[in-house]
């Protein structure tokens, strides 16, 4: 969006937490952005009286808050609520407002299971692993007649998230379950990759030798590992490591340890974000 946008209302001292997308918002423009960008995750539960009160109390938009409150009292649709809000603020174009309303209308016909699946996928891609785990856990506990391919998709995603958390034993467990239920090569590749991370080279070779189904896919995995290694060689992370070596070989030990501390803190912060 290239045009300047005149901000409406004030910046909130207390943010509002949009549970559907796991994000705290501080302004009405940020709310509009979240609605238009994540409309497929939204439904009538996303727009409740707490949000309306926050718009009036924190943002100082009493008139908008009153209009939205009347709509909720009369059980308006999510599409109507979002349409009024977006048009009042003027953040989005007419095409964007219409598109968002259309998505929200279609969402009304989706069952709870499909909505939560979509939300879990979104949260995983955004790195909100705790919330994604919670969504997938809810689905597996409350959908007893789940199709095996759908279950495999859930198990595969759980394997991906455990791998992000460096919990490779758990990742292998879920990737293998996904392969048993869905039969997809990608799940078995994930299983092999997780096993490779928990074994030394001799153990891994013996493991592949004892599992016929692993042989061909293990070759594909090694190809991917080589490609990943090439990408790492050209990455900023590798550049940092090589810079450390220069500090050390140049006897600049104070700079060497300072850089180690900085990189370590960055890695810890990234991991804390994944866990949270």
């Amino acid at each position: 969006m290239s045009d300047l946008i005149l901000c409406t209302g004030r910046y909130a001292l207390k943010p509002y937490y949009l549970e559907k997308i796991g994000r705290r918002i501080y302004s009405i423009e940020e709310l509009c952005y979240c609605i238009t960008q994540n409309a497929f995750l939204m439904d009538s539960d996303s727009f409740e009286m707490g949000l309306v009160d926050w718009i009036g109390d924190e943002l100082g938009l009493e008139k908008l808050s009153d209009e939205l409150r009347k709509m909720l009292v009369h059980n308006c649709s999510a599409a109507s609520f979002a349409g009024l809000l977006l048009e009042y603020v003027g953040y989005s174009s007419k095409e964007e407002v219409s598109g968002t309303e259309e998505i929200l209308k279609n969402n009304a016909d989706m069952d709870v299971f499909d909505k939560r699946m979509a939300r879990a996928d979104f949260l995983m891609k955004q790195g909100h692993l705790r919330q994604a785990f919670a969504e997938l856990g809810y689905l597996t506990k409350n959908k007893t007649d789940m199709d095996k391919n759908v279950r495999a998709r859930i198990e595969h995603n759980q394997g991906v998230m455990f791998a992000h958390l460096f919990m490779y034993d758990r990742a292998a467990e879920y990737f293998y379950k996904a392969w048993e239920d869905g039969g997809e090569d990608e799940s078995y590749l994930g299983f092999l990759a997780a096993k490779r991370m928990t074994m030394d080279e001799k153990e891994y070779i013996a493991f592949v030798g004892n599992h016929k189904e692993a042989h061909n896919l293990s070759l594909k995995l090694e190809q991917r590992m080589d490609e990943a290694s090439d990408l790492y060689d050209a990455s900023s992370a590798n550049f940092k490591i090589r810079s450390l070596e220069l500090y050390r070989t140049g006897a600049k030990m104070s700079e060497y340890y300072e850089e180690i501390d900085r990189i370590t803190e960055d890695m810890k912060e990234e991991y804390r974000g994944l866990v949270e």
Side-chain angles (χ1 to χ4, degrees), residues 104-124:
L104 290 169
K105 288 175 185 176
N106 293 335
N107 281 357
D109 298 325
M110 290 176 65
D111 62 24
V112 174
F113 180 83
D114 290 333
K115 288 177 184 177
R116 297 194 85 136
M117 277 290 287
R119 183 165 184 256
D121 287 343
F122 172 83
L123 291 168
M124 184 183 77

Side-chain angles (χ1 to χ4, degrees), residues 35-163:
I35 292 173
T36 55
Q37 294 299 309
N38 306 286
F40 69 98
L41 293 175
M42 300 289 190
D43 55 26
S44 56
D45 293 338
S46 306
F47 307 121
E48 43 86 39
M49 205 60 77
L51 173 61
V52 172
D53 292 339
W54 178 80
I55 289 172
D57 298 340
E58 284 294 321
L59 304 183
L61 298 171
E62 288 87 359
K63 182 179 179 181
L64 174 60
S65 179
D66 289 342
E67 292 184 30
L68 293 174
R69 186 175 289 104
K70 290 175 186 176
M71 296 189 77
L72 286 186
V73 169
H74 290 92
N75 296 316
C76 72
S77 67
S80 298
F81 185 100
L84 187 149
L85 191 154
L86 294 171
E87 288 177 5
Y88 183 97
V89 177
Y91 175 85
S92 308
S93 66
K94 289 183 178 180
E95 292 77 13
E96 287 176 319
V97 174
S98 297
T100 300
E101 288 179 317
E102 186 64 27
I103 292 171
L104 290 169
K105 288 175 185 176
N106 293 335
N107 281 357
D109 298 325
M110 290 176 65
D111 62 24
V112 174
F113 180 83
D114 290 333
K115 288 177 184 177
R116 297 194 85 136
M117 277 290 287
R119 183 165 184 256
D121 287 343
F122 172 83
L123 291 168
M124 184 183 77
K125 290 173 183 175
Q126 293 297 310
H128 301 301
L129 301 189
R130 182 183 62 81
Q131 293 163 298
F133 270 124
E135 290 295 331
L136 295 179
Y138 175 90
L139 293 173
T140 54
K141 288 178 182 177
N142 293 279
K143 186 79 171 176
T144 55
D145 58 341
M146 190 184 299
D147 179 82
K148 272 196 169 185
N149 289 324
V150 176
R151 186 175 295 278
R153 176 182 163 192
I154 291 174
E155 290 163 342
H156 182 93
N157 285 349
Q158 287 172 316
V160 170
M161 291 191 290
F162 276 121

